[in-house]
Amino acid sequence: MEFTSEQRLDDGVLEREFTLGEIPGVLWTPGSAPGPSPAPAPLILIGHNGGLHKRESRLVARARHSAAKYGYAVAAVDAPGHGERPRSAADEQVRADLRRAKEAGEPIEEILDALIVPLVERAVPEWQATLDALLSLPEIGGPVGYSGMTAIGIRLAVVEPRISAAGFFAGGFVPRALREEARQVTIPLLFLLQWDDEGNDRQLALDLFDAFGSKEKTLHANLGGHAGTPWFEVDDGNRFFDRHLK
Amino acid sequence: MEFTSEQRLDDGVLEREFTLGEIPGVLWTPGSAPGPSPAPAPLILIGHNGGLHKRESRLVARARHSAAKYGYAVAAVDAPGHGERPRSAADEQVRADLRRAKEAGEPIEEILDALIVPLVERAVPEWQATLDALLSLPEIGGPVGYSGMTAIGIRLAVVEPRISAAGFFAGGFVPRALREEARQVTIPLLFLLQWDDEGNDRQLALDLFDAFGSKEKTLHANLGGHAGTPWFEVDDGNRFFDRHLK
């Protein structure tokens, strides 16, 4: 893991960009008072679907808030084919198929499967390698939470025992295979649903909440569309992690 | 309003029993530091379906927590025919009908309507009279929230403009007429659902959440049965009121 930039933000948070092989990411760690080294911080992985982190202003705001107010180390990476990472010819082909099907009003579930299943297959080992590297830093101590995209999060929660709790955002396509895998998820969950999300089926999301194998799981649903999650859910999410990671 | 007992609890909260006409109730107000009089406290009405308050240990624990940790004045009353209040012959008859229908495995919706609709008709004006009396106390300043049983809460939110926000517990029967009235509720809502509530239909509860006319409404659903609401929802409820009453 190589740090490529570093700046101290006005809320005291240290923001560092890094690369790990071909994976670009950002790490936010809490500011600390002068004096003896603080205890290692628990870690939250923010698993956004894509987009270049610096333009994802809500993601950055959430990450800084979790670091500054709740004392978490927070990391985000660009998933394969997302953010600043190149898309493969296969990626471009599936995206072209998706645009065509949408314009023609044709069913898109199979195309989304062809987009998301390979993404999950590639992204999860990358998260695990990133986790190895992050947990080797002295300022990060675990335990570890995951917050973000559901499809990647399901697989990560199933295969990665170091993830102790997860917050999933229901506003994204979850392939059938991953929905079935949800029964194997047993860690505490906070499942965040936008009640009027234009692009996502509410009943599928409720069925998915029902399917998770976790004994402790909470659904938070708010009125409004895909991008309308109220800011107070950021605090609720941090308090959820406080209950399970601290 | 006449106070009939008063004790200072070990969390500093002042617990007073009162009667207002035939309505028996309890008022919890926050302890205060010595010195100038504190600002009047905002008020939360706890609208439990029934049961004598002193035996409702969870209700009392919630009320004391809201007063001690969040600075609310909290009031509970026994609804007509509940707690220490006598049941009318009509009440007894409907309850006998309900037991018989349950034992015979017959539909109970009409009987529950006959139980709950008159309860709402009687309880709501009593809450309004109680509110008049409570708001005349110098230590209570409003704004006012309601937390508890949905059926009474819907009507109260519709007819009583002094109620600024409400937390409803979905684990109780809501007559069809009240479910239709839900569209007229426009105040911010927190709607609390136990996902596996034995006695209540989950889909009806989700439909009711959908029906509320409020622009700001949040659903919290947790795994488990009717009485299994996790304690962290008490804090979530207080923070919800903090956003709207303070």
Side-chain angles (χ1 to χ4, degrees), chain A residues 195-196 202-203 206 209-210 214-223 232-233 236 239 243, chain B residues 195-196 202-203 206 209-210 214-223 232-233 236 239 243:
Chain A
W195 196 247
D196 311 294
R202 185 193 299 162
Q203 191 57 51
L206 293 170
F209 176 69
D210 198 47
S214 309
K215 287 207 184 77
E216 178 171 347
K217 55 183 177 183
T218 301
L219 168 71
H220 283 192
N222 288 285
L223 204 68
F232 59 74
E233 289 292 352
D236 281 11
R239 284 187 288 253
R243 289 202 299 275
Chain B
W195 197 247
D196 312 294
R202 185 194 298 162
Q203 191 56 52
L206 293 171
F209 176 70
D210 198 47
S214 309
K215 287 208 184 77
E216 179 171 346
K217 55 183 176 183
T218 302
L219 169 71
H220 283 193
N222 288 285
L223 204 67
F232 59 73
E233 289 292 352
D236 280 11
R239 283 187 289 251
R243 289 201 299 275

Side-chain angles (χ1 to χ4, degrees), chain B residues 81-110:
Chain B
H82 290 82
E84 61 184 75
R85 300 180 67 177
R87 288 186 188 158
S88 67
D91 283 342
E92 296 289 5
Q93 183 58 53
V94 176
R95 284 169 185 273
D97 293 346
L98 184 60
R99 273 193 303 274
R100 247 195 320 270
K102 278 184 173 172
E103 282 164 17
E106 292 165 9
I108 57 172
E109 171 152 346
E110 279 185 32

Side-chain angles (χ1 to χ4, degrees), chain B residues 31-43:
Chain B
S32 56
S37 294
L43 174 64

Side-chain angles (χ1 to χ4, degrees), chain B residues 146-233:
Chain B
Y146 169 91
S147 172
M149 182 193 178
T150 305
I152 290 174
I154 289 172
R155 174 68 55 79
L156 192 60
V158 169
V159 303
E160 178 48 70
R162 290 174 294 182
I163 305 287
S164 301
F168 291 154
F169 180 58
F173 179 78
V174 180
R176 180 174 303 273
L178 272 297
R179 293 204 300 272
E180 280 162 16
E181 219 165 302
R183 300 189 187 281
Q184 298 171 48
V185 174
T186 57
I187 56 174
L189 288 185
L190 179 62
F191 193 55
L192 195 53
L193 170 65
Q194 282 299 97
W195 197 247
D196 312 294
D197 196 333
E198 313 80 7
N200 287 285
D201 186 297
R202 185 194 298 162
Q203 191 56 52
L204 269 186
L206 293 171
D207 291 346
L208 183 57
F209 176 70
D210 198 47
F212 290 119
S214 309
K215 287 208 184 77
E216 179 171 346
K217 55 183 176 183
T218 302
L219 169 71
H220 283 193
N222 288 285
L223 204 67
H226 184 80
T229 301
W231 177 259
F232 59 73
E233 289 292 352

Side-chain angles (χ1 to χ4, degrees), chain A residues 17 24-26 28 48-60 76-79 81-87:
Chain A
E17 298 187 54
V26 191
W28 295 268
H48 192 266
N49 190 6
L52 185 59
H53 60 84
K54 287 189 171 141
R55 296 181 197 146
E56 291 283 331
S57 59
R58 278 179 66 97
L59 185 156
V60 173
V77 298
D78 283 337
H82 290 82
E84 61 185 73
R85 299 179 68 177
R87 287 185 189 158

Side-chain angles (χ1 to χ4, degrees), chain A residues 94-108:
Chain A
V94 176
R95 284 170 186 272
D97 292 346
L98 184 61
R99 274 193 303 274
R100 246 194 321 269
K102 279 185 172 170
E103 282 165 15
E106 291 166 8
I108 57 172

